[in-house]
Amino acid sequence: QNVLWGLVDRTSSVDRLVRAEDLLSHTHAAPRHPATPDDLCFLQYTSGSTSDPKGVVVTHGNLIANCDGIINTGLGMEGTGVAVSWLPLYHDMGLIGFVISTLCHGLTSVFIPTMRFIRRPTVWFDAITKHGGTVTFAPNFAYALITRKAKPEHLARWDLSTMRAFGCGAEPIHPDTARTFVDTFSTCGLLPEAFMPAYGMAEATLAISFKPIRQRFRTRTVDLDTFAGEGRVAEVAPAEGASDTVLEHVSCGVPFPGHEVSAQDEAGTVLDEGLEGELCLRGPSVAAGYWEAPEATAQAFRPDGWLRTGDLGYVLDGEVYVTGRIKDLIILNGRNLHPQAIEWVVGEVDGVRKGNVVAFSTPGPEGEQLVVVLETRAEDAEALIAAVMAAVRKEIGAPPADVVCLPPGSLPKTSSGKLQRRKTRQQYLLDELGAEGTRTMGSRGAATTVAKHLARGLIGRAKHTLLGNRS
């Protein structure tokens, strides 16, 4: 709260801060106009990973429906459970998933400061072990990170047997990350079915679909040429082909009751199962639109109740598979390629910072051409570029037209840590990659930033306390 006090003088609509414990000493009459399900509850801003952030109008009805879907249907934890989270509370997964949902349904929440997790990721599983955690959620990168950071002494002391769900969402889910995570932590009592892929977005309040709680996560292995050329799922057994001829998609489970998800074409026609299209959804969790943005609202929120998500994917056997973003789709020689498939391959090359790779296309003399931008600490950039070229050629049959190596912290990301492909592409075309400086200033820089906020907050708190005493 000392840091938050620094915002009071800079926010005209905020007069002062009130501590939660002080609310118990105040009594207020019931509101004269109780909220209805259709009333605005709050504005939730999109991440800005593919466009400018927009304020999503979340109603009380949206919030109640989504919290119920998360706790009751998705997790089956009404009134019981311990939620553990390091997610920032300005992010929808942190705020709705671990503050509002747990508060409304009687779960205990344990919060780890986000900066503490960033500095020492192992505090995440320390807290789960200490408090007997039953549910946590994080993006794909966090599961890869904790798997890398786990030492034998950690595995010996961590107890994950109480965990009912390790939710994974907010970014594409890598099947190898999921498998390695489950295998690594099985020695800590982790049950295979506890890993829970999920799908969600701000326009749906938070969550859309969860893997069923008692099932193991599912993947589908599909023929790459058929999927890239026709957008059709042609399943093959994993052993039938080399890795450069197949794709593997992770199932994000089934939609909550009362909600629908379908893949649709550009005309809004619902496609048959197993055909890739734009994922669209409808149901009580779908928000009321974008705040003061009628054009953007009309483009995404259709009159028939369907929300256009901007995500590509398909539905098969009632389960949702997310394959990419429409705006990020790379079209090379008539084939539709998803950037994640290329980025994951490049991330496995020695010297590349995994999770810090962006692939996109740019206009070339003979059509669209592929560009890969990556972060690295490697000193021999030429050797690294050659290795990346070879890895991409093996994956898609042709090398990228250009590979750009940047120092750590140079790729643009959103406040929630998502890579910004559109902005990276724009910087590349303007020859401005890395021109904004690094995202972070190292541990010393982070400490300096926190110290500045703390000092500003202490001054603001003292000032308002003095004014309050005078009045």
Side-chain angles (χ1 to χ4, degrees), residues 95 330 360-361 386:
L95 176 63
I330 298 170
F360 53 85
S361 63

Side-chain angles (χ1 to χ4, degrees), residues 234-463:
E235 288 195 72
V236 295
E240 285 184 6
S243 62
D244 56 339
T245 64
V246 300
L247 296 170
E248 189 175 13
H249 299 146
V250 176
S251 167
C252 291
V254 296
F256 296 151
H259 296 72
E260 299 174 78
V261 177
S262 65
Q264 301 185 13
D265 63 17
E266 294 182 0
T269 302
V270 176
L271 301 174
D272 292 338
E273 286 205 339
L275 289 178
E276 185 186 44
E278 180 178 13
L279 292 177
C280 298
L281 59 113
R282 62 183 175 187
S285 293
V286 174
Y290 297 119
W291 179 254
E292 296 184 346
E295 291 184 6
T297 297
Q299 290 176 0
F301 297 83
R302 294 194 339 217
D304 57 3
W306 285 107
L307 167 69
R308 299 185 60 184
T309 67
D311 289 322
L312 287 167
Y314 58 91
V315 178
L316 193 55
D317 295 334
E319 298 182 355
V320 180
Y321 293 80
V322 185
T323 55
R325 292 284 296 175
I326 292 175
K327 292 181 179 180
D328 294 336
L329 191 66
I330 298 170
I331 303 176
L332 295 178
N333 301 320
R335 299 172 69 204
N336 294 340
L337 301 173
H338 296 286
Q340 294 88 354
I342 299 168
E343 291 162 0
W344 288 340
V345 168
V346 174
E348 297 298 328
V349 176
D350 285 345
V352 175
R353 297 188 71 220
K354 186 179 292 189
N356 291 277
V357 182
V358 171
F360 53 85
S361 63
T362 61
E366 299 179 0
E368 291 292 297
Q369 57 187 18
L370 176 66
V371 176
V372 174
V373 183
L374 59 90
E375 292 183 359
T376 181
R377 291 188 174 90
E379 296 181 1
D380 191 346
E382 290 187 8
L384 180 62
I385 290 172
V388 169
M389 291 273 194
V392 175
R393 180 192 292 275
K394 181 179 179 182
E395 178 68 15
I396 66 172
D402 194 11
V403 176
V404 181
C405 298
L406 298 175
S410 298
L411 283 170
K413 290 187 177 183
T414 69
S415 60
S416 58
K418 295 180 181 179
L419 289 166
Q420 294 179 296
R421 293 189 185 88
R422 186 174 69 107
K423 189 170 184 179
T424 303
R425 181 180 184 274
Q426 181 181 23
Q427 290 180 351
Y428 174 84
L429 294 173
L430 296 175
D431 197 23
E432 295 178 351
L433 282 171
E436 295 183 358
T438 57
R439 293 187 304 271
T440 60
M441 299 176 290
S443 59
R444 185 180 296 274
T448 301
T449 301
V450 172
K452 287 180 180 178
H453 285 301
L454 183 59
R456 188 182 294 121
L458 290 172
I459 293 170
R461 184 177 185 181
K463 175 182 174 181

Side-chain angles (χ1 to χ4, degrees), residues 128-151:
I128 288 174
T129 299
K130 178 180 178 180
H131 297 280
T134 55
V135 60
T136 191
F137 263 78
N140 183 87
F141 85 85
Y143 290 102
L145 179 63
I146 193 66
T147 303
R148 293 198 307 271
K149 295 294 184 181
K151 307 296 184 190

Side-chain angles (χ1 to χ4, degrees), residues 89-336:
L89 299 185
Y90 56 75
H91 189 265
D92 53 2
M93 190 186 290
L95 176 63
I96 298 173
F98 289 88
V99 178
I100 300 176
S101 290
T102 56
L103 184 65
C104 290
H105 290 271
L107 275 69
T108 298
S109 289
V110 176
F111 296 103
I112 303 166
T114 303
M115 287 302 299
R116 185 179 298 173
F117 166 78
I118 293 172
R119 289 194 297 267
R120 188 161 64 90
T122 54
V123 300
W124 184 17
F125 284 11
D126 286 343
I128 288 174
T129 299
K130 178 180 178 180
H131 297 280
T134 55
V135 60
T136 191
F137 263 78
N140 183 87
F141 85 85
Y143 290 102
L145 179 63
I146 193 66
T147 303
R148 293 198 307 271
K149 295 294 184 181
K151 307 296 184 190
E153 57 268 26
H154 295 133
L155 298 177
R157 74 167 185 259
W158 283 338
D159 179 8
L160 306 181
S161 62
T162 60
M163 287 297 295
R164 186 176 178 87
F166 277 98
C168 185
E171 64 183 18
I173 302 168
H174 197 308
D176 286 341
T177 297
R179 281 190 289 265
T180 303
F181 174 80
V182 171
D183 291 344
T184 299
F185 296 104
S186 61
T187 59
C188 302
L190 174 65
L191 298 175
E193 57 267 27
F195 187 80
M196 175 184 279
Y199 175 49
M201 62 191 310
E203 288 86 347
T205 305
L206 173 59
I208 297 170
S209 65
F210 279 8
K211 174 198 74 69
I213 193 72
R214 292 179 177 84
Q215 296 180 13
R216 295 192 181 190
F217 77 93
R218 181 203 302 269
T219 68
R220 289 189 187 271
T221 306
V222 305
D223 180 73
L224 180 129
D225 288 336
T226 303
F227 195 77
E230 305 175 26
R232 178 173 59 84
V233 171
E235 288 195 72
V236 295
E240 285 184 6
S243 62
D244 56 339
T245 64
V246 300
L247 296 170
E248 189 175 13
H249 299 146
V250 176
S251 167
C252 291
V254 296
F256 296 151
H259 296 72
E260 299 174 78
V261 177
S262 65
Q264 301 185 13
D265 63 17
E266 294 182 0
T269 302
V270 176
L271 301 174
D272 292 338
E273 286 205 339
L275 289 178
E276 185 186 44
E278 180 178 13
L279 292 177
C280 298
L281 59 113
R282 62 183 175 187
S285 293
V286 174
Y290 297 119
W291 179 254
E292 296 184 346
E295 291 184 6
T297 297
Q299 290 176 0
F301 297 83
R302 294 194 339 217
D304 57 3
W306 285 107
L307 167 69
R308 299 185 60 184
T309 67
D311 289 322
L312 287 167
Y314 58 91
V315 178
L316 193 55
D317 295 334
E319 298 182 355
V320 180
Y321 293 80
V322 185
T323 55
R325 292 284 296 175
I326 292 175
K327 292 181 179 180
D328 294 336
L329 191 66
I330 298 170
I331 303 176
L332 295 178
N333 301 320
R335 299 172 69 204
N336 294 340

